[in-house]
Amino acid sequence: MKYLPVDKSFFEGTTSQLACRLLGSYLVHEIGQATLVGRIVEVEAYLGSADPAAHTYRGMTERTLAMFGPPGHAYIYLSYGSHFCLNVSARPVGVGEGVLLRALEPIEGTELMAANRGGKAEGVLISNGPGKLFQAMGVTKDFYGHDLTQLPLYISKGEEVEEVVVGPRIGISKAKDLPLRFYIKGNPFVSRAR
DNA sequence: AGCAAGATTAGC
DNA sequence: CTAATCTTGCTA
């Protein structure tokens, strides 16, 4: 199976629209001879200045620069001092919105993903969380600001998703009620709610 | 300058 | 249930 990067128009539209469009798409990372492919099964939208739970709520900082940059680029942050998470920036330059990738279903290179996770995780535990998928896909903070239409790390269009479920986001205390979490109904790799 | 909370995870 | 551990914003 051959995977091709999406073009820039994939990232146009509202952030919620992009979040839904990312479901069923593939995150691809080509490392040397190996190709790691994960199907995106769970995402969350973060709406910048309109969203108290967003890192970008209070404006731009050194950390959040990529969120305010052009759409389709990687915003990476360190969560709780120990886990990195990957976001896709949305909206035009100057608007701090984006989509957090929360869970993947391993499609290719599952063995290597398990190895990236320390060899101790199996099955859904390989990539059913934002910090887990980041580690499994072999991403590093060096990809901060990376254009996700370019090798070696990119988004590739997937098949239409059967059914999308919308609900409140996970692990936040502000704007809890907003329906900004999207996931593929019934997919076992979706992270478990608290 | 110091402190608490946070888009999480693994281990007891 | 709790520790680990870095960034940011708020208080003094």
Side-chain angles (χ1 to χ4, degrees), chain A residues 119-174:
Chain A
K120 290 167 189 169
E122 295 179 4
V124 300
L125 296 180
I126 293 174
S127 55
N128 67 341
K132 297 177 187 178
L133 75 87
F134 187 97
Q135 193 180 20
M137 289 295 292
V139 186
T140 65
K141 64 181 184 305
D142 295 334
F143 281 102
Y144 186 95
H146 173 74
D147 181 350
L148 294 169
T149 65
Q150 303 296 317
L151 305 189
L153 181 67
Y154 58 92
I155 302 292
S156 185
K157 187 84 183 107
E159 296 169 21
E160 281 299 311
V161 171
E162 321 75 56
E163 198 167 354
V164 173
V165 183
V166 183
R169 295 172 293 186
I170 290 181
I172 56 172
S173 60
K174 298 159 193 161

Side-chain angles (χ1 to χ4, degrees), chain A residues 31 44-45 69 76 83 98 125 158 173 181:
Chain A
I31 310 175
E44 283 179 359
I76 293 167
H83 308 284
L125 296 180
S173 60
R181 173 173 178 246

Side-chain angles (χ1 to χ4, degrees), chain A residues 12-190:
Chain A
E12 292 174 359
T14 70
T15 302
S16 291
Q17 285 169 349
L18 175 59
C20 290
R21 198 176 304 137
L22 282 167
L23 287 180
S25 299
Y26 299 105
L27 177 65
V28 184
H29 189 190
E30 299 181 3
I31 310 175
Q33 304 289 359
T35 304
L36 298 184
V37 182
R39 183 172 181 238
I40 299 168
V41 300
E42 179 184 1
V43 298
E44 283 179 359
Y46 283 87
L47 304 183
S49 56
D51 182 0
H55 289 165
T56 49
Y57 180 57
R58 289 166 240 272
M60 202 185 312
T61 64
E62 186 176 2
R63 180 178 64 152
T64 59
L65 270 180
M67 277 292 237
F68 290 90
H73 288 238
Y75 164 55
I76 293 167
Y77 72 95
L78 184 57
S79 177
Y80 290 91
S82 46
H83 308 284
F84 288 103
C85 301
L86 176 63
N87 297 247
V88 179
S89 63
R91 312 300 310 283
V93 173
V95 183
E97 301 189 16
V99 179
L100 169 68
L101 304 188
R102 285 196 59 89
L104 299 177
E105 175 179 351
I107 301 295
E108 274 189 32
T110 308
E111 298 292 308
L112 185 49
M113 289 189 205
N116 285 341
R117 293 269 295 123
K120 290 167 189 169
E122 295 179 4
V124 300
L125 296 180
I126 293 174
S127 55
N128 67 341
K132 297 177 187 178
L133 75 87
F134 187 97
Q135 193 180 20
M137 289 295 292
V139 186
T140 65
K141 64 181 184 305
D142 295 334
F143 281 102
Y144 186 95
H146 173 74
D147 181 350
L148 294 169
T149 65
Q150 303 296 317
L151 305 189
L153 181 67
Y154 58 92
I155 302 292
S156 185
K157 187 84 183 107
E159 296 169 21
E160 281 299 311
V161 171
E162 321 75 56
E163 198 167 354
V164 173
V165 183
V166 183
R169 295 172 293 186
I170 290 181
I172 56 172
S173 60
K174 298 159 193 161
K176 273 183 151 93
D177 313 327
L178 300 181
L180 295 176
R181 173 173 178 246
F182 306 84
Y183 60 93
I184 297 177
K185 184 174 185 177
N187 189 287
F189 289 85
V190 171

